Amino acid sequence: MAALLEVNHVSKQFGKDTKALKDVHFSVAEGEFVSIIGPSGAGKSTLLRCINRMVDATSGEIIFDNRNVLDLKKKELKTIRTKIGMVFQHYNLVNRLSVIENALHGKLGNKSALAGVLGLYSIDEKEEAMKILNALGLADLIYKRADQLSGGQKQRVGIARALLQNPRMLLCDEPIASLDPGSAKVIMDHLKNISTNWGITILVNLHQVDVALKYSDRIIGINNGQVVYNGSPKNLTKDDIQLIYGSEAEDLIFDVGGIHAS
Amino acid sequence: MEANEQMTNVSSATDPFLKPYPDKRLKSRAWNKSLVVMRTTLLLLTVLTVYAFVSFDYKEVDFKEAALGTLTNIKVMFLEPHLKHFTFLQAVHQVFVTLGLAFLTTLFGGLIAVLLGLLAAENLSSRRVSLLIKGLVSFIRAVPTVLWVLIFAVAAGLGSVAAVIGMTFHSVSYLVKAYSESFEELDRGAIEALQASGANWWQIVFQAVIPSSLTYMISWTFLRFEINFAVAVAMGAAAGAGGIGFDMFMASNFYLDIREIGAITYFILILAILLEVFGAGLKKKLKVNG
């Protein structure tokens, strides 16, 4: 499998002396499901946002689909962004619009400005939206307003919006951090399904180590802006977790062996 | 105070985190800068008010007589109103002319203000453009509407044209502030999500920003419409813009007919109440859908 995304020696500095990312280096193959774990403030969100340039990295290079994202001009950047879907912790839907309108927002990047402004979508686009909403179990809710949905439903709309971009890759910024365990499982199952059946690469920030172990093909551990672990979930040891989360976390985090056994 | 002291004693005795309080009096609030400024302002205002009342030059006004005279005037105005120089239907027509003036200026103002409001919102535009527009509109807003009408009357001549331009001018500045603030209060998330999907600025504005702030925009616009109605009445008199305001001006300054003023006031009052009722209904409906 060829590498779809390569992050080479990327650093990000906020202000004079806040280093959010320090020489981050990894690559992601097409179709892979990669989890990024690490304590709050370690730079997970910054890293994801550097990839689609919602945040500009200070140095290094990010190669997506053989192009360096950091060199792109405004117009090319928009084209690349349409190929990278993003899912957020707080869903980031437009509350006053319906489910289907929110989902169709994924199509805006591929439309002419005027059609997008007026919200004119073709029959094909609407049917595609219906298909995806159906696959995510939202078929009965398409005309409901986004703010009437539960958290899990909102997140599924967020995923539908990202999928309607026909993306090569999904960036998920803590997609289940605000959800109850039941809804979280539904969301993670959908993401896993998208990865295996649709062949879309998934890069997901997670807080829950057990979830990361269960779902991902590979885990990247980040602490203090640096990659401290990069490998298969099977090889993740207690020592690695201590390295990622610091020694204080040792007591809080369950027995890794137990998780592997289950 | 005693209770306070007891509280401190108890807590310092039982709570190991609290060291014994050094001062005996426990203050309920800290004297910070804002409190000092507020207190000083209030004190100054009180002193000035008292001074003003003491130092008034009352001349030989007989308070009793003056009060009685005013009451008689009010009685004649509101209890014996009549129409002499125009008919009821003409009055209704003139009220609608005034309403039209208010509507037109709000419409023009609203359309221009949406565009400028987007540019003035810091989250949608650059900081420099935002500051420039905000500075400009706050200057325009600081000058009263009447003055703008009179300024434009230099070019357009006294009349409805000057009134429309001047009132539009002031409406724009008012609505730009209202709109841009409601845009700025918007949740950044939805904008971020659309940016990340490759949508362009216009698409983000029309698909996320405006749908989310529509309720605010409508209620601000309606408020401005009510203000513009009141201003339009005054403009009818001050700038000869026509409408019921001009009839009022004629009745008071030309015919000196206080009863007719009463009748006209009733017309304006009824319309203002209707607008208020309509506005309240609109807001209620928006809240249900909002």
Side-chain angles (χ1 to χ4, degrees):
Chain A
M1 280 195 287
L4 177 70
L5 174 77
E6 278 180 61
V7 176
N8 293 332
H9 306 290
V10 166
S11 299
K12 170 66 192 175
Q13 199 162 347
F14 287 111
K16 275 234 163 94
D17 42 26
T18 324
K19 283 208 151 190
L21 296 174
K22 295 172 202 156
D23 199 31
V24 172
H25 196 76
F26 65 91
S27 71
V28 178
E30 180 109 50
E32 225 180 345
F33 191 118
V34 179
S35 296
I36 302 174
I37 57 173
S40 299
K44 302 191 299 292
S45 290
T46 310
L47 176 59
L48 276 200
R49 282 171 170 72
C50 279
I51 293 171
N52 63 358
R53 273 198 39 203
M54 295 303 287
V55 168
D56 277 314
T58 316
S59 64
E61 57 178 10
I62 294 171
I63 313 284
F64 176 78
D65 199 15
N66 299 322
R67 303 197 61 179
N68 187 355
V69 180
L70 299 183
D71 288 342
L72 295 179
K73 299 238 162 47
K74 216 174 161 189
K75 199 149 189 201
E76 298 167 309
L77 177 64
K78 276 185 184 145
T79 320
I80 282 275
R81 277 181 179 169
T82 62
K83 293 280 145 221
I84 306 176
M86 195 160 186
V87 175
F88 303 85
Q89 179 185 351
H90 298 294
Y91 331 119
N92 292 3
L93 305 176
V94 180
N95 282 333
R96 281 163 192 285
L97 297 182
S98 67
V99 166
I100 190 154
E101 281 172 302
N102 267 296
L104 282 166
H105 279 171
K107 283 283 174 211
L108 287 177
N110 291 317
K111 297 184 79 67
S112 75
L114 189 67
V117 162
L118 298 174
L120 300 174
Y121 300 98
S122 70
I123 293 287
D124 288 346
E125 287 170 332
K126 287 179 202 163
E127 273 170 4
E128 195 187 339
M130 273 308 297
K131 208 182 82 194
I132 288 172
L133 288 171
N134 212 353
L136 291 167
L138 293 166
D140 300 334
L141 302 169
I142 57 167
Y143 296 121
K144 270 215 164 186
R145 268 176 49 150
D147 52 5
Q148 293 170 344
L149 303 179
S150 71
Q153 290 166 337
K154 282 184 188 172
Q155 194 57 288
R156 278 183 276 157
V157 178
I159 293 173
R161 175 175 64 191
L163 286 179
L164 267 159
Q165 292 175 230
N166 295 324
R168 301 275 301 274
M169 177 168 75
L170 282 189
L171 304 174
C172 308
D173 188 16
E174 299 188 7
I176 58 170
S178 314
L179 298 178
D180 64 89
S183 318
K185 185 179 180 320
V186 172
I187 294 296
M188 289 310 293
D189 287 342
H190 277 303
L191 289 178
K192 187 72 191 170
N193 177 36
I194 289 162
S195 160
T196 42
N197 294 339
W198 304 32
I200 293 172
T201 312
I202 289 185
L203 199 56
V204 53
N205 275 351
L206 283 175
H207 264 314
Q208 299 86 339
V209 182
D210 50 341
V211 177
L213 289 171
K214 189 172 165 205
Y215 286 92
S216 30
D217 300 329
R218 192 143 59 86
I219 287 182
I220 292 173
I222 288 193
N223 186 356
N224 201 13
Q226 284 170 309
V227 175
V228 292
Y229 180 85
N230 182 356
S232 152
K234 288 192 198 86
N235 304 330
L236 189 75
T237 61
K238 212 169 175 179
D239 289 344
D240 292 324
I241 291 204
Q242 213 180 84
L243 199 62
I244 297 168
Y245 284 97
S247 52
E248 305 242 332
E250 197 182 353
D251 307 333
L252 282 175
I253 294 175
F254 51 87
D255 184 22
V256 179
I259 289 289
H260 280 314
S262 65
Chain B
M1 211 59 246
E2 252 182 44
N4 261 349
E5 274 168 7
Q6 271 179 2
M7 283 288 286
T8 26
N9 289 337
V10 170
S11 55
S12 60
T14 53
D15 196 337
F17 289 104
L18 272 183
K19 295 217 168 68
Y21 200 69
D23 195 352
K24 269 205 164 176
R25 274 164 53 105
L26 189 63
K27 279 181 204 144
S28 62
R29 63 170 96 193
W31 275 92
N32 53 18
K33 205 174 157 192
S34 77
L35 198 67
V36 172
V37 170
M38 209 161 73
R39 287 278 165 89
T40 319
T41 316
L42 281 176
L43 192 74
L44 266 174
L45 284 176
T46 318
V47 170
L48 281 176
T49 313
V50 172
Y51 174 74
F53 271 105
V54 171
S55 62
F56 263 156
D57 180 6
Y58 290 101
K59 284 268 188 313
E60 272 106 51
V61 174
D62 180 351
F63 273 102
K64 202 176 147 204
E65 200 184 333
L68 280 177
T70 311
L71 284 176
T72 320
N73 269 358
I74 290 176
K75 194 194 98 193
V76 172
M77 212 156 113
F78 290 114
L79 295 182
E80 303 159 21
H82 70 181
L83 289 172
K84 197 166 163 194
H85 301 97
F86 47 86
T87 63
F88 180 81
L89 277 179
Q90 273 170 330
V92 171
H93 177 246
Q94 292 301 330
V95 167
F96 274 94
V97 169
T98 302
L99 206 61
L101 187 60
F103 182 76
L104 191 69
T105 50
T106 312
L107 186 72
F108 284 166
L111 286 177
I112 300 169
V114 169
L115 189 69
L116 288 179
L118 289 168
L119 293 174
E122 256 177 56
N123 51 349
L124 299 170
S125 140
S126 69
R127 206 179 148 67
R128 193 183 291 174
V129 176
S130 159
L131 276 179
L132 184 79
I133 294 180
K134 276 184 181 165
L136 202 69
V137 294
S138 58
F139 168 71
I140 296 174
R141 222 175 26 247
V143 178
T145 318
V146 185
L147 221 59
W148 283 117
V149 172
L150 294 178
I151 289 168
F152 283 109
V154 175
L158 267 182
S160 51
V161 177
V164 169
I165 299 174
M167 284 168 68
T168 302
F169 215 62
H170 202 264
S171 300
V172 167
S173 67
Y174 180 92
L175 290 174
V176 163
K177 186 180 163 71
Y179 290 170
S180 67
E181 273 173 11
S182 50
F183 295 151
E184 277 168 3
E185 266 175 39
L186 208 71
D187 167 33
R188 254 210 72 73
I191 300 174
E192 189 192 15
L194 291 195
Q195 268 173 352
S197 77
N200 69 28
W201 191 81
W202 286 106
Q203 292 171 334
I204 293 172
V205 163
F206 279 89
Q207 290 295 323
V209 177
I210 291 188
S212 304
S213 37
L214 200 61
T215 322
Y216 286 113
M217 287 170 72
I218 291 176
S219 77
W220 277 113
T221 312
F222 198 79
L223 185 65
R224 183 66 212 189
F225 179 59
E226 282 174 15
I227 296 175
N228 274 354
F229 177 68
V231 173
V233 172
M235 280 317 107
I244 196 80
F246 185 68
D247 287 333
M248 200 172 195
F249 173 73
M250 291 299 278
S252 65
N253 281 22
F254 197 72
Y255 304 122
L256 302 176
D257 188 342
I258 205 169
R259 293 188 172 83
E260 201 163 66
I261 296 178
I264 293 170
T265 310
Y266 276 122
F267 272 102
I268 297 169
L269 191 69
I270 289 166
L271 210 80
I273 290 171
L274 284 180
L275 281 182
E276 190 68 45
V277 169
F278 179 72
L282 192 75
K283 264 168 214 161
K284 210 170 172 184
K285 199 159 183 193
L286 282 173
K287 266 206 188 114
V288 172
N289 299 327

